[in-house]
Amino acid sequence: MTTAAGPDAIALLKADHRRVADLFARFGSAKGNGRERALAKEICLALTVRTKIEEDVFYPACKGAVDESLLDEACVEHDAAEVLIAEIEADAPDAPFYDAKVTVLSEMMEHHVEEEEQRVEGMFSQARKAGLDMEALGEQVAAEKARLTLAYKVKGLPQPETPTLTGTALA
């Protein structure tokens, strides 16, 4: 929902969810390595921007208003996605496991979106019920999306920061 005051944060995030789902569907039917590569890069950019916005803007606003376990799980899912994104970005479409990595990333994001958007118990529903100012958050989300998209197009995607993952060091 967008009002005269500005865009609604949840509406913006849901729109991004739909856009990424469409990109994954297009990847699945893409013919040729060049087309696959272009779609994979678009997917990686969109997901990197969205996860960064959620972690830096939306999730902090939800702290104390949303079930903490949902926020924790979302952060772990983001970290796992960032690892796959870095591998997809580094590989060529004919590399071993390339398509499998994109497929697993798609499945992970589908699960992640389902948990955020679940009607009664989902993160978005809980945030609305808590009375968070979705218009103010929407303005922040929109501004950050524009800033990050431009920055990542110019500088490239950042190396994954995976604070929830421990164990084997990530290269």
Side-chain angles (χ1 to χ4, degrees):
M1 167 175 26
T2 302
T3 67
D8 175 286
I10 291 173
L12 290 173
L13 293 172
K14 283 183 173 183
D16 283 345
H17 290 167
R18 298 299 146 321
R19 179 174 174 268
V20 171
D22 177 63
L23 290 170
F24 277 121
R26 289 172 39 206
F27 179 89
S29 61
K31 302 284 188 246
N33 286 349
R35 185 68 186 134
E36 281 185 350
R37 183 73 181 142
L39 285 166
K41 288 185 95 37
E42 202 172 339
I43 289 166
C44 291
L45 173 63
L47 285 176
T48 301
V49 168
R50 194 193 85 221
T51 57
K52 187 76 170 142
I53 289 168
E54 286 180 344
E55 291 172 359
D56 292 353
V57 177
F58 192 75
Y59 295 171
C62 290
K63 205 104 167 126
V66 169
D67 180 353
E68 201 70 28
S69 67
L70 283 176
L71 292 170
D72 290 349
E73 187 175 334
C75 288
V76 173
E77 289 168 346
H78 282 186
D79 285 355
E82 288 174 18
V83 170
L84 279 174
I85 288 167
E87 290 190 11
I88 292 165
E89 279 283 300
D91 285 344
D94 58 353
F97 304 110
Y98 187 84
D99 287 350
K101 289 174 185 179
V102 175
T103 298
V104 169
L105 181 60
S106 173
E107 292 168 351
M108 286 174 47
M109 289 298 98
E110 186 177 321
H111 168 80
H112 178 77
V113 165
E114 182 180 307
E115 288 191 337
E116 285 183 337
E117 294 185 8
Q118 192 176 24
R119 289 187 87 74
V120 177
E121 298 298 319
M123 187 185 303
F124 292 170
S125 179
Q126 289 182 30
R128 270 206 204 284
K129 286 178 190 169
L132 297 179
D133 185 346
M134 291 303 160
E135 290 177 2
L137 276 172
E139 291 173 12
Q140 292 175 24
V141 165
E144 191 66 357
K145 180 179 179 179
R147 185 188 75 74
L148 289 172
T149 300
L150 179 61
Y152 293 159
K153 282 183 177 181
V154 171
K155 296 185 219 173
L157 298 184
Q159 287 298 319
E161 294 178 23
T162 54
T164 70
L165 302 179
T166 57
T168 305
L170 300 171

